[in-house]
């Protein structure tokens, strides 16, 4: 396949994913049929099966990729370990900012498609679980913690759960109280993590030299 053809197919696939993300968030898994999704993408039904084997497979990929929280966390990729920690706390402040709720509640699959995933097939639940695992693993990077650290999972559960809870409330005051309370507790949890000690170049060089001489 030529690179031009590959780029074209990737653009079409992304259009379908973008339209599906909107349809699933608005109508849920059951209410978002393939025709609705393809209408949103401006494509024919026939184009769907050139890229996805089923609606379930599409839903699983949306859950796995439509994750602003994970995208923001991965954006810290070039940071030093101590900056990874402060960057993560900033990401969660942004995620839980009441002013951002309208966008986050519409775009975070972890927060808005969790119930649909719980009612889905094994493939759908596996995709949802992988999204959770990937997010916690990214949170753990450089923080002297493993992805199994309960502090990390508690922070993620508190953040995502509070977005879901706040999004279901009508009052701005209640929404704000929920998110601000969650943000305070998430920051407290994440502040307890300690960045991994990183050797300076001189220390690393000395250890390598000592190993060679021993």
């Amino acid at each position: 396949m030529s690179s031009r053809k590959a780029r074209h197919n990737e653009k079409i696939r992304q259009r379908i994913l973008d339209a599906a993300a909107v349809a699933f968030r608005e109508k849920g898994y059951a209410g978002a049929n393939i025709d609705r999704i393809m209408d949103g993408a401006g494509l024919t039904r026939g184009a769907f099966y050139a890229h996805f084997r089923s609606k379930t497979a599409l839903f699983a990929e949306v859950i796995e990729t439509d994750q602003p929280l994970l995208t923001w966390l991965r954006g810290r990729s070039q940071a030093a370990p101590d900056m990874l920690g402060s960057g993560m706390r900033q990401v969660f402040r942004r995620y839980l900012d009441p002013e951002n709720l309208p966008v986050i509640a519409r775009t975070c699959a972890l927060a808005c498609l969790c119930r649909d995933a719980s009612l889905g097939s094994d493939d759908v639940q596996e995709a949802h679980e992988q999204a959770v695992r990937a997010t916690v693993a990214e949170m753990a990077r450089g923080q002297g913690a493993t992805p199994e650290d309960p502090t990390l999972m508690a922070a993620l559960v508190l953040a995502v759960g509070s977005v879901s809870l706040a999004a279901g409330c009508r009052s701005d005051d209640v929404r704000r109280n929920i998110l601000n309370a969650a943000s305070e507790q998430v920051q407290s949890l994440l502040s307890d993590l300690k960045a991994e000690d990183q050797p300076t170049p001189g220390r690393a060089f000395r250890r390598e030299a000592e190993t060679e001489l021993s």
Side-chain angles (χ1 to χ4, degrees), residues 9-24 34 36-38 40-52 54 58 62:
N9 284 343
E10 182 57 34
K11 287 180 180 179
I12 294 299
R13 183 182 181 85
Q14 191 59 52
R15 281 171 62 182
I16 297 172
L17 282 168
D18 290 344
V22 173
F24 287 137
I34 293 175
R36 179 189 296 275
I37 291 169
M38 298 310 285
L43 299 166
T44 65
R45 184 185 180 93
F48 175 85
Y49 292 103
H51 297 274
F52 299 94
S54 66
L58 174 61
V62 166

Side-chain angles (χ1 to χ4, degrees), residues 139-212:
M139 292 168 65
R141 183 163 59 89
Q143 300 308 298
T146 68
E148 290 73 31
D149 190 317
T151 299
L152 297 174
M153 187 62 77
L156 179 61
V157 169
L158 184 56
V160 173
S162 68
V163 167
S164 297
L165 186 63
C169 296
R170 182 173 180 273
S171 167
D172 287 340
D173 287 343
V174 173
R175 290 177 175 179
R176 188 174 298 276
N177 287 341
I178 290 170
L179 293 173
N180 287 341
S183 184
E184 181 178 347
Q185 294 304 310
V186 167
Q187 294 301 315
S188 177
L189 286 168
L190 297 180
S191 294
D192 290 338
L193 297 172
K194 304 298 183 183
E196 294 173 349
D197 290 333
Q198 297 296 302
T200 64
R203 289 171 57 191
F205 175 80
R206 284 195 297 272
R207 281 204 302 271
E208 290 172 1
E210 290 167 358
T211 299
E212 291 175 358

Side-chain angles (χ1 to χ4, degrees), residues 78-148:
Q78 302 303 316
D82 57 336
M83 296 303 293
L84 286 172
S86 61
M88 173 166 58
R89 292 191 292 275
Q90 182 59 37
V91 163
F92 276 94
R93 288 190 192 95
R94 179 182 178 188
Y95 184 79
L96 292 170
D97 187 333
E99 299 301 320
N100 294 334
L101 178 63
V103 174
I104 298 299
R106 292 197 310 270
T107 59
C108 180
L110 282 180
C112 62
L113 294 179
C114 182
R115 176 169 172 76
D116 287 273
S118 71
L119 300 175
S121 66
D122 288 345
D123 287 345
V124 168
Q125 291 184 1
E126 176 64 21
H128 184 264
E129 181 177 316
Q130 287 303 315
V132 172
R133 290 179 181 274
T135 304
V136 177
E138 181 60 31
M139 292 168 65
R141 183 163 59 89
Q143 300 308 298
T146 68
E148 290 73 31

